Amino acid sequence: MNEITIRRPDDWHLHFRDDAMMRAVVPYTARQFARAIVMPNLTPPVTTAAMAAAYRERILAAVPEGIDFTPLMTCYLTDNTDADDLARGFADGVFTAAKLYPAGATTNSDSGVTDVAKIMGVLERMAEAGMPLCVHGEVTSADIDVFDREAVFIDRVLAPLVGRLPELKVIFEHITTAEAVQFVDGAGDNIGATITPQHLHINRNAILVGGIRPHAYCLPVAKRETHRLALRKAATSGSARYFLGTDSAPHTREAKENACGCAGIFNAPYAIESYVTVFDEEGALGHFEGFASENGPRFYGLPLNEGTVTLRKAPVAVPEAFDAAGASVVPFHAGETLGWSLV
Ligand code: DOR
Ligand code: ZN
């Protein structure tokens, strides 16, 4: 197959940032995707419906003329989230989901939740309302090795949570381990998972072999090869539990190439091309539309997009860097040639 036409896809996990960086990166996503679940980890975080509504307007103002793109907003949960504001925001269509960052897990997560028990009342309201919970699934205890943090999160937090609130819709985001695949496969239909392009393409050697490579570093960090293979199998399996979520997370080159480099991979410019390459390599192009365009909206209970996009087997060269906000941002696959192009 040299060409594939699919229903317009969506990105179910994305960081746009704010201000000049946001205005620079929104067009890359809008070129490919009809909708995106927008992460709320700004400074300060998006914790109220009013903040989310204002942020949504700023994003819409950055969408290029003539492109139809809808940002789907999320609420950053804290120990003090106001359940009434959250429920009202969801009922009014401002919020599509809420995001659980364990405090200290990643970029701008300091105000995150210190103990899920503290937000049980909020999560109960969400379960009643049918509001989905997006989860950054890593424990943060200093005694847990960074490569084990996702697997330990399943045992200590996620499995007990799902047991306690079996009807809550949970998206286990950017999964990176065979343990996560096993958990999702064995869970109920109300548990879904997103998978990023980088976790399908690279293992931890890409970060550490031949020198330290900060542009391959994100959180959860890429694991060993067995995990990457498990993720590729899950994504391309045809299971409706798995869907596209890039976790594109732009940081300036300076912030990445630093003595303490930020976590995050900017994959937005060629995300759909990156994913389709994996499905082609796995001989699973027939499952690509489900992963990219159907499983996500069905999980969220949202309509499928109208319209289509076509991808063609034709090389596309990924630039070494993009200009954004007066700075340089290095993309995923920088300097590589991908085998598929968006027509
Ligand atoms: O690598 C990451 N970067 N992981 C996250 O969870 C957050 C993100 C960011 O905001 O930079
Ligand atoms: Zn993220």
Side-chain angles (χ1 to χ4, degrees):
M1 227 197 290
N2 289 322
E3 198 173 280
I4 167 175
T5 296
I6 59 167
R7 192 183 282 279
R8 267 187 95 196
D10 303 300
D11 183 350
W12 298 95
H13 180 132
L14 173 69
H15 300 266
F16 270 149
R17 315 302 188 201
D18 210 346
D19 303 318
M21 180 65 90
M22 182 266 289
R23 290 190 290 274
V25 302
V26 161
Y28 297 118
T29 293
R31 175 183 79 92
Q32 302 162 61
F33 299 106
R35 295 171 289 196
I37 285 276
V38 179
M39 287 297 120
N41 63 333
L42 305 182
T43 33
V46 178
T47 51
T48 66
M51 291 171 90
Y55 184 31
R56 180 169 65 186
E57 290 312 307
R58 297 197 295 280
I59 295 167
L60 285 171
V63 175
E65 198 85 28
I67 293 187
D68 158 36
F69 173 78
T70 305
L72 304 174
M73 309 312 290
T74 57
C75 179
Y76 183 116
L77 297 177
T78 72
D79 288 352
N80 305 310
T81 293
D82 177 348
D84 292 329
D85 181 72
L86 184 73
R88 217 177 305 119
F90 181 62
D92 292 347
V94 176
F95 289 133
T96 298
K99 170 76 185 220
L100 169 62
Y101 283 110
T106 186
T107 308
N108 295 337
S109 63
D110 294 350
S111 324
V113 174
T114 58
D115 182 350
V116 168
K118 292 195 178 161
I119 58 161
M120 202 47 76
V122 170
L123 298 178
E124 282 165 1
R125 285 283 290 278
M126 289 177 60
E128 275 164 32
M131 182 176 189
L133 177 71
C134 300
V135 176
H136 183 110
E138 288 191 286
V139 294
T140 56
S141 337
D143 61 319
I144 304 297
D145 189 275
V146 71
F147 291 101
D148 297 334
R149 288 180 171 198
E150 183 174 283
V152 172
F153 183 87
I154 297 169
D155 293 340
R156 289 192 187 170
V157 184
L158 192 54
L161 173 62
V162 169
R164 167 94 191 258
L165 294 174
E167 64 294 357
L168 181 65
K169 271 194 204 182
V170 178
I171 302 99
F172 192 178
E173 301 190 282
H174 43 53
I175 60 168
T176 63
T177 59
E179 287 88 341
V181 170
Q182 199 182 1
F183 176 80
V184 173
D185 283 343
D189 285 343
N190 57 320
I191 309 300
T194 57
I195 307 181
T196 74
Q198 58 264 25
H199 293 112
L200 297 171
H201 279 279
I202 64 171
N203 62 35
R204 62 195 193 177
N205 282 9
I207 311 168
L208 295 169
V209 171
I212 229 173
R213 298 175 193 279
H215 299 292
Y217 172 62
C218 67
L219 286 171
V221 69
K223 310 297 191 295
R224 63 170 67 238
E225 179 66 358
T226 48
H227 296 289
R228 185 183 76 99
L229 295 177
L231 296 168
R232 283 173 77 104
K233 196 164 165 225
T236 60
S237 66
S239 163
R241 304 257 163 105
Y242 300 100
F243 36 95
L244 188 160
T246 63
D247 199 15
S248 181
H251 293 277
T252 63
R253 179 194 287 276
E254 200 184 12
K256 295 286 293 174
E257 298 175 10
N258 192 290
C260 185
C262 291
I265 294 180
F266 176 54
N267 60 33
Y270 294 96
I272 199 77
E273 294 90 338
S274 178
Y275 278 115
V276 76
T277 301
V278 171
F279 278 72
D280 187 20
E281 287 165 358
E282 295 291 327
L285 286 174
H287 290 154
F288 188 55
E289 184 171 35
F291 179 80
S293 316
E294 295 173 348
N295 301 346
R298 286 198 178 119
F299 185 87
Y300 272 85
L302 295 171
L304 303 189
N305 295 317
E306 299 296 330
T308 58
V309 298
T310 296
L311 289 143
R312 186 173 297 152
K313 217 168 192 170
V316 61
V318 179
E320 294 285 354
F322 289 85
D323 288 326
S328 169
V329 181
V330 177
F332 186 45
H333 298 299
E336 292 173 27
T337 297
L338 293 170
W340 285 79
S341 311
L342 184 61
V343 176

